[in-house]
């Protein structure tokens, strides 16, 4: 994970966080498992469909949409710890890019 910090006015800090491919793939795996547990995929028990099948069934965009929130929730606290930042307010998300995954 690459984290870039930028000091802004009023004691604010902008973080640009880029996840490596391995983190994104694990997030996609978790999202596929979650989708296969929530929705019935013909020929598979709930939660047991392989990621490729889930991706073909729902589409890559749906899988990325499901994985995005999970990836951000898991990586943001790590980025804060890595940069030794103690937040005093709520963070805001400005943009999310898919290739490479960064926010």
């Amino acid at each position: 994970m690459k984290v870039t910090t930028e000091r802004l006015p009023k004691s604010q800090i902008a973080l640009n966080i880029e996840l490596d491919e391995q983190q994104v793939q694990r997030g996609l795996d978790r999202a596929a498992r979650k989708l296969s547990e929530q929705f019935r995929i013909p020929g598979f028990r709930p939660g047991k469909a392989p990621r490729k099948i889930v991706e073909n069934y729902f589409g890559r965009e749906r899988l990325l949409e499901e994985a995005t929130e999970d990836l951000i929730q898991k990586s943001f606290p790590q980025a804060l710890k890595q940069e030794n930042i103690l937040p005093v307010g709520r963070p805001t998300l400005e943009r999310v890019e898919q290739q490479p995954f960064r926010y």
Side-chain angles (χ1 to χ4, degrees), residues 49-100:
R51 183 175 133 199
K52 274 292 190 199
I53 300 295
V54 174
E55 192 171 327
N56 288 338
Y57 193 75
F58 291 103
R60 178 128 176 112
E61 287 301 315
R62 175 71 170 104
L63 193 60
L64 280 170
E65 181 183 308
E66 189 72 32
T68 297
E69 186 175 337
D70 179 55
L71 287 169
I72 291 171
Q73 292 294 327
K74 289 196 183 314
S75 65
F76 186 68
Q78 291 174 353
L80 291 176
K81 186 175 182 180
Q82 177 180 323
E83 296 297 311
N84 294 321
I85 297 172
L86 182 63
V88 293
R90 297 197 115 182
T92 57
L93 182 65
E94 291 185 9
R95 69 183 187 287
V96 176
E97 299 173 17
Q98 302 294 338
Q99 255 342 41

Side-chain angles (χ1 to χ4, degrees), residues 9-74:
K10 299 182 182 180
S11 298
Q12 293 182 345
I13 298 175
L15 295 176
N16 294 310
I17 302 168
E18 182 176 328
L19 302 181
D20 59 21
E21 189 62 29
Q22 186 180 20
Q23 288 175 301
V24 174
Q25 294 304 318
R26 284 194 311 260
L28 290 172
D29 290 341
R30 285 190 303 268
R33 193 173 323 110
K34 184 177 177 183
L35 284 173
S36 70
E37 288 172 356
Q38 290 176 342
F39 300 100
R40 179 106 174 97
I41 298 176
F44 296 95
R45 292 179 290 154
K48 299 297 180 184
R51 183 175 133 199
K52 274 292 190 199
I53 300 295
V54 174
E55 192 171 327
N56 288 338
Y57 193 75
F58 291 103
R60 178 128 176 112
E61 287 301 315
R62 175 71 170 104
L63 193 60
L64 280 170
E65 181 183 308
E66 189 72 32
T68 297
E69 186 175 337
D70 179 55
L71 287 169
I72 291 171
Q73 292 294 327
K74 289 196 183 314

